[in-house]
Amino acid sequence: MASNFSASKNLGGMAEAIDLTGDGGVMKTIVKRAKPDAIAPSENLPLVDVHYEGTLEETGEVFDTTHEDNTIFSFELGKGSVIKAWDVALKTMKVGEVAKITCKSDYAYGSAGSPPEIPPNATLVFEVELVACRPRKGSSVASASDERARLDELKRQREMAAAQKEEEKKKREEAKAAAAARIQAKMDAKKGGGKGKGKGK
């Protein structure tokens, strides 16, 4: 595994996929490299800030993104607060790096999935940008719960935005259906009129 990783560092342009787990469970492809002197997460810098977009490999459907509302998602590495694939992949990234991370369900949401967005046994593809990594701020229970509350609020906002989009999509579809029905009715009326004239001759 180490040799794969070091070999890929020497490739110019788009790197090859790196097997981070040795079983193909978490594959990482560097989309944009960090600067050579960029810092990376460590024991002293375990808090990471990321931008990301998650899609289902099978359909390409986006199920979660921070790009729409330009939010930052923050978490502490190695605490199990995110899916396994993220804990594995983010440790190999540097600040400023953008990577495509493909994770099998064993390293994501498993056989249960995360309904309704993520079906059971789904392979997920994330494009992740490591924006920053920071030291733990005297991590007290209060600060951890504050962070959780902030993340819950962000999640709620994203869910509300998604629900609004769904509602708008429904309205558009209903309007389309109504327009199609009107056109069909006009065409039927014309056909009916044409047949009537034909019979009259």
Side-chain angles (χ1 to χ4, degrees), residues 39-152:
I39 57 171
S42 64
E43 287 290 322
N44 297 324
L45 299 168
L47 295 174
V48 294
D49 296 341
V50 299
H51 272 310
Y52 69 91
E53 182 163 275
T55 56
L56 301 174
E57 186 186 52
E58 196 177 346
T59 61
E61 184 187 341
V62 175
F63 60 83
D64 197 7
T65 179
T66 59
H67 296 307
E68 273 180 15
D69 47 8
N70 204 30
T71 52
I72 292 282
F73 177 61
S74 307
F75 67 96
E76 184 173 346
L77 280 171
K79 293 292 178 187
S81 56
V82 291
I83 58 173
K84 275 192 247 174
W86 275 38
D87 268 336
V88 170
L90 265 296
K91 285 175 186 168
T92 71
M93 292 179 71
K94 288 183 172 183
V95 171
E97 183 180 316
V98 179
K100 183 176 114 177
I101 298 157
T102 304
C103 37
K104 296 277 172 66
S105 63
D106 288 350
Y107 291 89
Y109 293 95
S111 57
S114 181
E117 293 92 357
I118 300 166
N121 304 310
T123 295
L124 308 180
V125 180
F126 291 95
E127 185 163 288
V128 181
E129 178 187 0
L130 180 55
V131 178
C133 47
R134 298 172 284 115
R136 204 182 284 108
K137 288 182 185 172
S139 195
S140 66
V141 175
S143 67
S145 63
D146 288 348
E147 181 67 8
R148 200 172 297 118
R150 190 180 74 81
L151 292 176
D152 284 346

Side-chain angles (χ1 to χ4, degrees), residues 23-24 32 41 51 56 65 84 90 96-97 103 113 118 120 137 142 150 154-155 170 172 178 182 187-188 190 199:
D23 60 0
K32 181 189 160 198
H51 272 310
L56 301 174
T65 179
K84 275 192 247 174
L90 265 296
E97 183 180 316
C103 37
I118 300 166
K137 288 182 185 172
R150 190 180 74 81
L154 282 176
K155 190 181 173 190
K170 211 163 112 184
R172 281 199 303 272
R182 282 197 300 274
M187 284 170 69
D188 288 348
K190 276 185 186 172
K199 281 176 188 169

Side-chain angles (χ1 to χ4, degrees), residues 6-36:
S6 56
S8 73
K9 279 185 170 179
N10 300 325
L11 293 170
M14 185 78 163
E16 288 177 358
I18 310 154
D19 185 348
L20 297 181
T21 50
D23 60 0
V26 182
M27 302 295 290
K28 173 189 164 189
T29 307
I30 296 171
V31 176
K32 181 189 160 198
R33 294 184 179 284
K35 290 177 181 169

